[in-house]
Amino acid sequence: MKIIRDFLLCLTFLWPAGAAFSQSSGDAGQALEPYAAAFYGVVRIERGGNSIFEQAYGRANYQLDVANAPDTRFALQALTRPLVAAVFHSAADQGVIDLEASICAYLSACPESWNGVKIRHLLNQTSGLPDLSAALEASPQGGPRERLSAILQADEPSAPLYTPGSRYRDSRFDYALAAAVLEAAYGESFETIMDAQLFNRAGMSNAGIAAPNAAIANMAAGYAISDGAPEIVCAGETYLPGAEGAYATARDLAAFANALFGERLTTAKMLDAMVTPDYALSSSHAYGLMTAERGGLLSHFYGARGDGYAAWLSRYPDHDVTIVILSNQNGAPVNDMRKALEAALFGNGA
């Protein structure tokens, strides 16, 4: 399986101070017009929990001539990570997990040199641990705890490459470890935990966790564009639960944002901690989500792509607005679309 990377999409559009919100769906549709002909996916915009724009584009399955629709499911790739981080912060509120505790307090096999790695270091990807993603993918089948245990017993990994909490580095392995910690804390599978602690509570009725190429109803096939024609991208059979694996509709992701920022998943204090970066380490990376403010417009967001899919989620807390862009197309211009929508919705200077 190709390494799926969350991509740090630059926020280059500068906003007029005090930008107001335009609730016209026509503005959004017009902003997306330059992308409509070539885009495969679904765009949804909500304000106050109500849809103000929703449009499906292109095909969910080119070969079968099945169009994308509002209920089409898409692989979220690394956008799985904000979902996992939300479950951790909810678990901390419930007293199930201590974010300041060492990961070794939960993992049955844990090298002594890892004692300084706290759970929060996994969530903001500052653990300093070596990247063992390839080794985890190559290990025997089973849940993340079994895979991790097999790797540790076979060949103990090296010590952290740098002091935990001192440097940010994108890490699939950190979130794979996070999934193992969840399983240890709850005594259940990662899939069961995500269903009970997030999808059901947030009203994400069409979301779930699945391996690549699993047979999921209403799941869009992932495509790459080659010589102008879409070609199906077949992902490998292995994946790292926690780092990726979630699928959802655009409505599901909007429901997640509404539940999280509506404080139905965690308290206001814990939510604030989740979305606040450690600015000494990163200008935007917080815990699962990223945070940025440009010209007075604050947003919490995440973008991801890989294996035939691309995804974007933005929340604008000062306006109670959510933008979701999901695509079954490698390299879909979700960041450019996000900027066009922000310009249309906030950038009129009114």
Side-chain angles (χ1 to χ4, degrees):
M1 179 180 180
K2 300 189 295 296
I3 293 178
I4 302 174
R5 300 183 184 275
D6 59 320
F7 55 120
L8 312 183
L9 302 173
C10 300
L11 298 176
T12 56
F13 193 93
L14 296 180
W15 295 92
F21 176 75
S22 167
Q23 194 163 311
S24 170
S25 61
D27 288 345
Q30 187 174 5
L32 295 175
E33 203 168 296
Y35 308 96
F39 179 67
Y40 281 23
V42 176
V43 178
R44 183 177 178 89
I45 305 171
E46 291 193 5
R47 189 181 195 197
N50 298 310
S51 174
I52 62 169
F53 179 85
E54 184 174 58
Q55 182 65 52
Y57 302 85
R59 295 170 182 169
N61 192 301
Y62 183 84
Q63 287 72 20
L64 299 179
D65 195 25
V66 176
N68 275 319
D71 63 352
T72 300
R73 292 160 158 164
F74 298 84
L76 301 185
Q77 310 300 42
L79 216 160
T80 301
R81 300 178 197 183
L83 309 186
V84 173
V87 171
F88 267 95
H89 284 78
S90 176
D93 267 333
Q94 299 169 34
V96 176
I97 287 175
D98 180 1
L99 299 181
E100 295 299 320
S102 167
I103 62 173
C104 293
Y106 295 88
L107 299 175
S108 58
C110 191
E112 185 177 348
S113 61
W114 290 17
N115 278 327
V117 179
K118 299 179 180 181
I119 291 175
R120 65 177 177 85
H121 295 148
L122 301 180
L123 301 180
N124 70 353
Q125 300 176 92
T126 62
S127 73
L129 294 173
D131 187 357
L132 300 179
S133 300
L136 281 177
E137 288 184 323
S139 66
Q141 293 298 312
R145 289 177 69 190
E146 289 80 5
R147 296 184 191 187
L148 180 63
S149 179
I151 292 300
L152 295 180
Q153 292 173 18
D155 184 14
E156 183 169 312
S158 61
L161 303 176
Y162 49 84
T163 302
S166 67
R167 185 185 308 174
Y168 167 82
R169 184 182 70 169
D170 175 63
S171 176
R172 293 173 71 220
F173 184 62
D174 279 2
Y175 269 85
L177 273 179
V181 168
L182 279 179
E183 289 198 335
Y186 281 98
E188 299 175 321
S189 72
F190 176 65
E191 294 80 3
T192 299
I193 295 165
M194 293 298 287
D195 279 340
Q197 301 300 323
L198 180 64
F199 301 144
N200 292 342
R201 292 176 61 194
M204 302 171 69
S205 57
N206 288 297
I209 303 290
N213 306 321
I216 306 294
N218 294 331
M219 185 76 172
Y223 289 96
I225 304 301
S226 177
D227 296 326
E231 295 182 357
I232 289 181
V233 176
C234 291
E237 293 301 322
T238 57
Y239 80 116
L240 298 185
E244 57 252 3
Y247 62 85
T249 67
R251 293 175 181 178
D252 288 325
L253 266 192
F256 164 69
N258 290 329
L260 180 63
F261 290 94
E263 300 170 18
R264 301 201 306 273
L265 299 177
T266 189
T267 61
K269 180 179 179 180
M270 195 63 73
L271 174 62
D272 184 64
M274 178 179 170
V275 301
T276 302
D278 184 339
Y279 290 105
L281 304 178
S282 171
S283 62
S284 57
H285 279 278
Y287 296 83
L289 289 167
M290 300 170 71
T291 295
E293 184 173 357
R294 295 293 187 271
L297 184 71
L298 175 67
S299 66
H300 307 299
F301 62 97
Y302 203 88
R305 63 181 173 187
D307 286 345
Y309 298 91
W312 185 276
L313 170 66
S314 283
R315 177 73 173 193
Y316 307 89
D318 294 338
H319 301 277
D320 199 10
V321 170
T322 300
I323 291 177
V324 177
I325 306 172
L326 297 181
S327 178
N328 54 323
Q329 185 180 40
N330 256 355
V334 293
N335 188 37
D336 291 339
M337 295 170 70
R338 182 270 308 168
K339 288 193 285 187
L341 287 172
E342 288 179 343
L345 299 176
F346 302 100
N348 297 324

